Structure formats: C-alpha cells, structure tokens
Amino acid sequence: MENASWARNADVARVGQAGEKRTAAVLAALTSGRLAETGPSVLHDLRIPIAFRDGGAPNIDHVVVSGRDVWLLDSKVWKPGRYWTLRGHTRRGFERIAWADKQTMVMARQAISGRLYASGVLARVHRPILVVWSSSSAGAPLTAWYRPKGARAVSGEGGGLERMMRSWRKPAHPGIVSVLSALVVSTETPRRPGLVEPPPDWR
C-alpha cells in the first residue's frame, strides 16, 4: 500500500494510501481471532495482469479469498456529497465527475478471472467493490445512487463493508491464493506478475 506511482501527485498518493489503510484495518477482522488459521485470506496491492501500451501498472487495492470465491476491492477517498449516475455519467451534486466512471474494475475482474482460468484453478470472481471513504469530517459521500461501471459502491463509514464481510468466512482455497500471491506488488523487490508453484492438490 506504499506504492502509489499511479497518483497524479504526492497529495493524491497520500490521501489514497490513507483510504487503503482504512479498508485494510476493517478487513483485518477476517484474519484475526478464530479465523486466523482457518478463515479467508486477504491480499493487498495486487498488480492487474494487463499489458498497457504506456507501460502503466494499474493495481487492485485488496483481494479477499473465501473458499473458491474472490472479491476485488478498491479504496477511494472522496469529498462529501451526493454521487449519482445517469446514463453512464456520474455527478457529485451537479458537477460532472468523469473519474468516477472509469472501467478499471471491469478490466481487473476480467484479468484476474483470466489469470485464474489459465492457471487451471476453478474460482468465482465476484462483482468488484468500491469502498468509498470521506475526505472530510464534515460529512460522508452518499453513494446509494452511484453506479460504478462493473462494480458496486459501499460507504466506508456506513458499515456496508462490515455487513458484506459476514459471509466471507470460508477457508481460502490454497490454489487461488497461490496464483494471486504472485501478483502482489513488493516494495522491496519489484517483479513482474507471474505464477508461484502451487501445492499438488490445489485444484
């Protein structure tokens, strides 16, 4: 969560990392207590296995593996206001917010599904989730009418993520974790996405 080379500037990177850390703190409940040994797995900062012409390296902030189910989560920190989407265009109030209509999550789901399929492991990659946090203590972003492309939005402050997590209790499938672990971005040793050697019974 420290690698923010995608950001437009240092301030954007700092705010984005704060949102990722807040989501990670909530997800930590899935790997603690009774779930620590036999529950789901949570991975952070995975490179999306897509080749971009400009050499860009988009990432997905968090991945939860529960059984053979995979959830992709991206953290956002937005200004308070009412976000709503009509005919594929999103606004905050009456202001057009073009960056809220990016298709990154659609591409991420397709790429992760493709990587797992090519690796010969059965998995169900669910509709991605945008976890939206507020950039201000003055209020929260209202996302009930926001329709991100290929994803669903939940409010970080509203407890929506915690409610979804109640069903994420199955032991993570080791083959899925093996494939996805190879996509984790390491700040110490940068490497290209690849496959790690799976256990013999991973399928």
Side-chain angles (χ1 to χ4, degrees), residues 26-130:
V26 176
L27 294 175
L30 293 173
T31 57
S32 61
R34 291 181 297 175
L35 295 173
E37 297 296 327
T38 61
S41 289
V42 180
L43 305 172
H44 302 285
D45 198 13
L46 279 70
R47 191 181 306 277
I48 301 174
I50 302 175
F52 280 76
R53 293 179 181 176
D54 61 0
N59 76 315
I60 194 76
D61 295 334
H62 323 274
V63 175
V64 176
V65 182
S66 175
R68 290 183 179 271
D69 295 302
V70 178
W71 283 268
L72 312 179
L73 299 92
D74 216 30
S75 299
K76 303 296 182 184
V77 180
W78 291 351
K79 294 179 180 179
R82 189 183 304 276
Y83 291 78
W84 56 283
T85 306
L86 181 64
R87 296 178 182 173
H89 300 293
T90 299
R91 291 174 171 78
R92 179 178 58 230
F94 294 105
E95 178 188 3
R96 175 82 166 84
I97 308 294
W99 40 259
D101 296 322
K102 290 184 177 180
Q103 300 192 46
T104 305
M105 298 301 279
V106 176
M107 293 187 295
R109 184 183 186 186
Q110 292 173 344
I112 294 295
S113 297
R115 175 58 61 93
L116 290 165
Y117 179 80
S119 302
V121 60
L122 297 176
R124 180 170 58 175
V125 181
H126 292 261
R127 188 179 183 190
I129 301 164
L130 294 182

